Amino acid sequence: MKILALARVHLGALAVLALLTLSACVLLAGLPRLVQGSFDAALHQSLRGATASQVDLAVRVESRSRQEDLREPSQFAARDQRFRSILPDPLRGLVLPAGTGTGHMSAKTWGTPVRGSGGMTYVNLGWLSDAGRRVRWTEGRAPGAPGTMNHQGTTITVFEVAVTEEARDKMRLRVGDLRVLGESDHVAVRVVGLFAAADPADRYWSHHPDILRVTEVQPPGKLDLERHTTALISDAGLTALSGEGRNLRYSWVLPVDPGAPTSLGVSELTGAVTAYGRVVGLQPGGGSQYRLETGLPQLLTGFLAALSTARTVMFLVLGGLLAVSVGVIMLAVHLLTDRAGEALALARARGGSLRQVAGTGAALVALAVVPAAPAGYALSWLVPGPVLPIVHAGPALVCGAAVGFAAVRTALAHRAPLRERRDDVAAARPSAGRITLEVLVVGLALGGAYLLRTRGLAAGTAGDDPFLLVVPLALTVAAALVTIRCYPYPLRLIVRLAARGRRAVPFLGLTRAARARSGSVLPVLILLPALAVSVFASVIADGIAGTQRLASWQDTGASLRVTSPVELPADAVARVGAVPGVELVVPAQTASVQLGYGGERAEIIAVDLGRWRRVLDGAPVSVPAMPAAGSGVPALVSPELRGRGTLEVGWQTRVKVSERGVVTAVPGFFARGKFLVVPYEINERAAVNTLLIRGDADPRAVTRAVGQPRAQVTSQAAALAAIENAPLTGTVRVVLLVTTVALAGYALVAVVVALVLGAADRARALTFLRPLGLTERQARGLTMLEILPMILVTALVGLALGLGLPAALGPGVDLSAYAGGVAVAGYSPGLVTPALLAAGLAAVAALGAYAHTVISRRRAPGAALRAGELV
């Protein structure tokens, strides 16, 4: 047969098929790249948000003798090269070159007491390979070479050291001071300078918090604080530093680039870190064993755990899009093969083999889909993101499915020459085996949904539980089967009622709807999942948006929150209250306090809860009211402090507080751990360091009004914007919106194709009825009565399934990764999207019916009837 001539005759159907194929390939190849790119960006953001000490690879070893000591920087550099040379291939591309990023080498002592301090003051010695570019000198000079002095008749080493200004103030270590360290093996330190970090915000300093800050610990049974600091020594001082008489640890930090890992390689990367740790432990190091310290595997595992379910739900939505798009293309192929059916039947009757006829049908479809699929694939490369297998497989799957379906359907339709069927006389009866299979599918779907809700996710599978993929698909297939099988029965009851009436149009229209051909009910398999997935996506999007707002309020605890490490004076509070847009200012005090007389500590906030509730009026979070005071100061305690009754709190003074209730979290302050909420008047003089503000004031104006450089102003609006603009949350909104629009469009296309598929049969029936007196108005009514029942029933079932899927999936739907870490629960879908979808489908069906009757009105009876059919 001449394929091109046949294509010219059916050019319109070919164009529709090509357009559907193009759009499907763009979506199926582009959206996965967009989603996977957001996963990578979220991973990079997670690693950048963690401290460098968690992300980097740190190799450590202890020196216990002079033979194990390293005295020269070159010795450290040689071992750094060795540790880099044994990196596994997955890690080799992630570790930055030596001397860049946060990479460095160090030597530190620990637990070195100052002689005569009673074990309450500790000054440790630390050497950093890159101290020269990491610190700046604020007083005195840089440390130099060590010297010696006589102490109790023994010559001891005197190290020149530099300390921070905080150590000077809290530990009284001033320039020129000399301190003897150790209890048995003594050394001395002379403070020759003060230093500060060249960039205090540099992630590098997370490896050395003990150098920048004084660590304060309250020993059990003591009221005074134990203070620790690490003083810097020079390269020359390294020659006298030995582990023979004190605790000494060497470290090599291999910096990991936070922007290098990909979410697809997380599992491989975690295994590589574990393998590297084993290899490091086998390296020769004298009497001590090297060990690898890093929090990278825990970070990666936590990232996957937080993302796995959200990833599954996202790809579930994309899987629904794939199924619907392929289904719509099948409908278009069905339309094209029906249009070409007469020519193919004639070719078969004239001696054409079944292979030739089926090949012709497949070639005709290939003319449309083969050029369109590569074009869609090429357009998908405009979407940024990594290339996944589905990017290549999606267009090939669409193209292969369309051509294969065309070949199979054509072969089945023309396996015998001039074979005709009449499906409009009576409804087809399904076989017993088919009914049994459909009942089994429905039962398995309901059982799977029940198990998913009752047992939750399988242990250790997180979002990779196969139930999360199988149950939604099974529920959709079950709903489609039930709809196809059940919707004719209520129509037949209505037909019986219509048969008693005197009007013929309702009876004829509903009868044709109840006796629909298989091609007429085929769109149900497209409409129902399209509506279900699009509504499910819109419900998920609404739930995420609401939870994002909840997370922002939980993060801030007020419209604006001011926190300061020092006390805020009364005039600063007054200035904040006068800022335009500020409606209410509630002062509060926060601190870390001692519980009892031991080392146990807890966080505390003193605030007027009644006024704070006014600040949170209208917000999705609230705080409880403080119960009436009884004996002692009332307090709300965390679950960890539940049941203790009366607690003695060491704050500005010793105060006894009595438990009056339990709170699991305090918005803006505490979410876990040990904490208390007490009245604002607990202290004799309120040392205000926190302000809770209601209003829409400019955060910058509030910052200027506070006048404290170290104060921080947190805005609920800014917190919400940060959550919404995160890589994951931004992408999920785009994907859900695109999916909803695309599926709604495919649903409407399915309605139109369904109208066109039955156009010839419907025109033939109308042509029979017009000589009997059927008017144009009655023809439009008959057509609408034939089409609308299937459309409306499918729309209602699809909407109900989409609204019920979040509840059916139950614990499997965890989208906290898209909502600031807060679990998305309590979906409360609105009626806007369902109403728009239903109205759109009904409108398209009505317009299609009207257009069809207008077109068929112009056709002559001979165009639809054969000789002898009308007498």
Side-chain angles (χ1 to χ4, degrees):
M1 294 185 64
K2 296 182 179 181
I3 305 298
L4 295 180
L6 194 61
R8 283 195 300 269
V9 175
H10 305 290
L11 189 59
L14 283 172
V16 170
L17 180 58
L19 184 60
L20 290 175
T21 304
L22 177 69
S23 64
C25 292
V26 170
L27 292 174
L28 296 177
L31 288 182
R33 295 185 64 182
L34 182 66
V35 172
Q36 194 61 46
S38 74
F39 293 161
D40 290 347
L43 174 60
H44 300 159
Q45 185 182 60
S46 174
L47 295 180
R48 291 190 180 100
T51 62
S53 59
Q54 293 176 290
V55 178
D56 294 341
L57 307 175
V59 180
R60 307 195 195 280
V61 69
E62 295 180 10
S63 174
R64 297 188 178 93
S65 65
R66 292 187 180 275
Q67 291 74 24
E68 299 176 18
D69 292 341
L70 301 180
R71 302 301 181 93
E72 299 291 337
S74 59
Q75 294 177 289
F76 283 87
R79 300 197 184 191
D80 181 75
Q81 290 298 321
R82 186 205 306 174
F83 296 139
R84 290 176 178 272
S85 66
I86 60 175
L87 281 169
D89 290 337
L91 290 176
R92 197 176 300 277
L94 305 184
V95 175
L96 296 172
T100 61
T102 56
H104 66 285
M105 299 161 286
S106 66
K108 284 185 187 178
T109 65
W110 78 93
T112 310
V114 176
R115 183 173 175 79
S117 67
M120 299 300 290
T121 303
Y122 291 79
V123 176
N124 301 307
L125 303 177
W127 170 79
L128 300 179
S129 61
D130 55 354
R133 64 187 180 92
R134 298 292 185 180
V135 303
R136 57 183 177 86
W137 307 104
T138 60
E139 185 180 340
R141 61 177 175 83
T148 59
M149 65 174 284
N150 184 276
H151 176 70
Q152 296 180 349
T154 306
T155 301
I156 64 173
T157 303
V158 179
F159 288 92
E160 289 190 354
V161 301
V163 297
T164 61
E165 295 178 354
E166 184 179 359
R168 176 198 62 187
D169 298 336
K170 291 185 176 181
M171 303 177 66
R172 299 180 181 180
L173 295 174
R174 296 175 175 83
V175 174
D177 285 354
L178 182 70
R179 297 285 192 274
V180 177
L181 308 181
E183 295 296 341
S184 56
D185 190 349
H186 299 146
V187 295
V189 295
R190 177 174 284 111
V191 180
V192 298
L194 301 180
F195 71 90
D199 181 9
D202 193 342
R203 300 175 72 247
Y204 170 92
W205 289 110
S206 68
H207 288 286
H208 306 289
D210 57 319
I211 291 180
L212 285 190
R213 293 185 297 274
V214 174
T215 304
E216 297 180 327
V217 180
Q218 188 164 35
K222 295 184 179 180
L223 296 179
D224 295 332
L225 295 175
E226 183 181 289
R227 293 183 172 90
H228 299 249
T229 190
T230 300
L232 286 181
I233 64 174
S234 64
D235 291 354
L238 187 62
T239 60
L241 192 63
S242 174
E244 186 175 40
R246 55 193 41 83
N247 302 318
L248 178 60
R249 179 187 297 117
Y250 300 135
S251 299
W252 292 262
V253 174
L254 280 62
V256 173
D257 182 3
T262 63
S263 57
L264 291 176
V266 164
S267 299
E268 181 184 21
L269 188 58
T270 303
V273 173
T274 303
Y276 183 57
R278 290 196 296 265
V279 175
V280 164
L282 298 176
Q283 297 302 304
S288 300
Q289 183 180 24
Y290 291 100
R291 65 183 184 278
L292 177 66
E293 294 182 7
T294 179
L296 186 59
Q298 291 77 13
L299 290 174
L300 297 176
T301 303
F303 170 79
L304 283 183
L307 186 66
S308 56
T309 301
R311 179 185 60 192
T312 302
V313 173
M314 285 303 301
F315 282 107
L316 174 64
V317 172
L318 294 178
L321 178 61
L322 169 64
V324 171
S325 60
V326 171
V328 173
I329 290 174
M330 297 304 174
L331 275 180
V333 172
H334 189 292
L335 173 64
L336 180 60
T337 53
D338 269 9
R339 291 289 183 87
E342 292 184 4
L344 295 175
L346 182 60
R348 183 81 168 108
R350 289 178 175 178
S353 67
L354 184 60
R355 178 180 298 178
Q356 289 175 324
V357 172
T360 301
L364 184 62
V365 171
L367 282 178
V369 300
V370 170
Y377 174 75
L379 288 175
S380 71
W381 285 84
L382 298 177
V383 180
V387 180
L388 303 175
I390 187 63
V391 174
H392 308 303
L397 175 63
V398 169
C399 187
V403 175
F405 178 72
V408 172
R409 188 176 188 281
T410 305
L412 292 176
H414 301 286
R415 57 182 179 270
L418 297 179
R419 182 173 178 268
E420 292 187 353
R421 292 182 303 172
R422 291 290 302 272
D423 293 332
D424 57 334
V425 177
R429 296 181 180 275
S431 65
R434 184 171 180 178
I435 293 177
T436 303
L437 180 61
E438 292 176 356
V439 171
L440 178 63
V441 170
V442 173
L444 290 176
L446 294 177
Y450 174 77
L451 287 177
L452 184 61
R453 286 198 56 82
T454 54
R455 76 171 176 87
L457 298 177
T461 61
D464 298 323
D465 191 329
F467 266 42
L468 276 177
L469 295 173
V470 174
V471 169
L473 176 63
L475 286 174
T476 303
V477 173
L481 292 176
V482 171
T483 303
I484 291 174
R485 292 299 170 213
C486 295
Y487 96 93
Y489 296 105
L491 284 181
R492 291 173 186 176
L493 294 178
I494 300 176
V495 167
R496 292 185 179 182
L497 296 177
R500 300 178 181 180
R502 303 182 60 182
R503 301 177 60 186
V505 170
F507 172 75
L508 292 174
L510 295 174
T511 299
R512 288 181 57 82
R515 295 179 176 180
R517 301 174 52 188
S518 60
S520 300
V521 299
L522 185 61
V524 173
L525 299 175
I526 310 303
L527 291 175
L528 196 144
L531 287 170
V533 175
S534 61
V535 172
F536 173 70
S538 66
V539 171
I540 291 294
D542 290 343
I544 290 175
T547 308
Q548 287 173 346
R549 181 169 178 267
L550 172 63
S552 66
W553 277 98
Q554 288 184 349
D555 183 56
T556 57
S559 301
L560 294 166
R561 187 187 74 228
V562 179
T563 55
S564 173
V566 297
E567 181 180 354
L568 298 175
D571 59 339
V573 179
R575 289 195 304 269
V576 171
V579 173
V582 173
E583 302 174 12
L584 177 63
V585 178
V586 179
Q589 308 171 70
T590 60
S592 176
V593 297
Q594 182 185 22
L595 298 180
Y597 291 92
E600 186 180 16
R601 303 189 69 83
E603 302 299 319
I604 193 170
I605 178 171
V607 65
D608 185 337
L609 287 176
R611 299 186 65 195
W612 193 3
R613 289 165 65 87
R614 290 171 55 194
V615 171
L616 296 175
D617 186 27
V621 297
S622 184
V623 292
M626 182 64 73
S631 59
V633 178
L636 301 176
V637 302
S638 64
E640 287 83 348
L641 299 177
R642 183 201 309 262
R644 297 199 183 185
T646 300
L647 292 170
E648 185 160 345
V649 175
W651 198 352
Q652 296 178 6
T653 59
R654 307 295 299 187
V655 181
K656 288 187 177 182
V657 299
S658 300
E659 179 183 336
R660 292 287 187 271
V662 179
V663 288
T664 57
V666 179
F669 295 93
F670 318 123
R672 61 185 64 86
K674 299 176 182 179
F675 57 84
L676 303 94
V677 183
V678 296
Y680 181 67
E681 303 81 8
I682 185 173
N683 291 316
E684 294 182 3
R685 189 186 71 83
V688 177
N689 58 7
T690 302
L691 300 178
L692 303 168
I693 303 170
R694 175 184 174 88
D696 57 353
D698 185 357
R700 291 172 295 182
V702 173
T703 302
R704 291 191 296 268
V706 172
Q708 170 54 248
R710 299 173 63 186
Q712 293 184 346
V713 178
T714 306
S715 166
Q716 179 270 329
L720 178 59
I723 296 174
E724 292 177 340
N725 295 330
L728 278 181
T729 53
T731 301
V732 71
R733 289 200 308 270
V734 173
V735 171
L736 291 179
L737 176 61
V738 171
T739 302
T740 301
V741 173
L743 290 175
Y746 282 136
L748 298 181
V749 170
V751 172
V752 174
V753 173
L755 287 168
V756 177
L757 277 174
D761 183 64
R762 197 175 303 111
R764 185 167 176 271
L766 294 177
T767 306
F768 270 117
L769 294 173
R770 281 198 179 97
L772 300 179
L774 184 71
T775 65
E776 293 301 327
R777 182 178 179 181
Q778 290 175 324
R780 290 193 294 271
L782 189 149
T783 302
M784 293 182 65
L785 285 174
E786 179 185 351
I787 294 296
L788 284 180
M790 184 267 292
I791 299 296
L792 293 179
V793 171
T794 305
L796 292 175
V797 174
L799 292 175
L801 181 61
L803 295 175
L805 271 179
L809 297 180
V813 182
D814 178 13
L815 299 175
S816 57
Y818 299 137
V822 178
V824 181
Y827 298 97
S828 54
L831 297 178
V832 177
T833 300
L836 289 177
L837 290 173
L841 286 175
V844 169
L847 290 175
Y850 178 79
H852 170 70
T853 54
V854 171
I855 294 173
S856 61
R857 179 182 58 188
R858 301 173 183 173
R859 300 178 65 183
L865 301 178
R866 292 173 294 186
E869 287 187 333
L870 184 62
V871 294

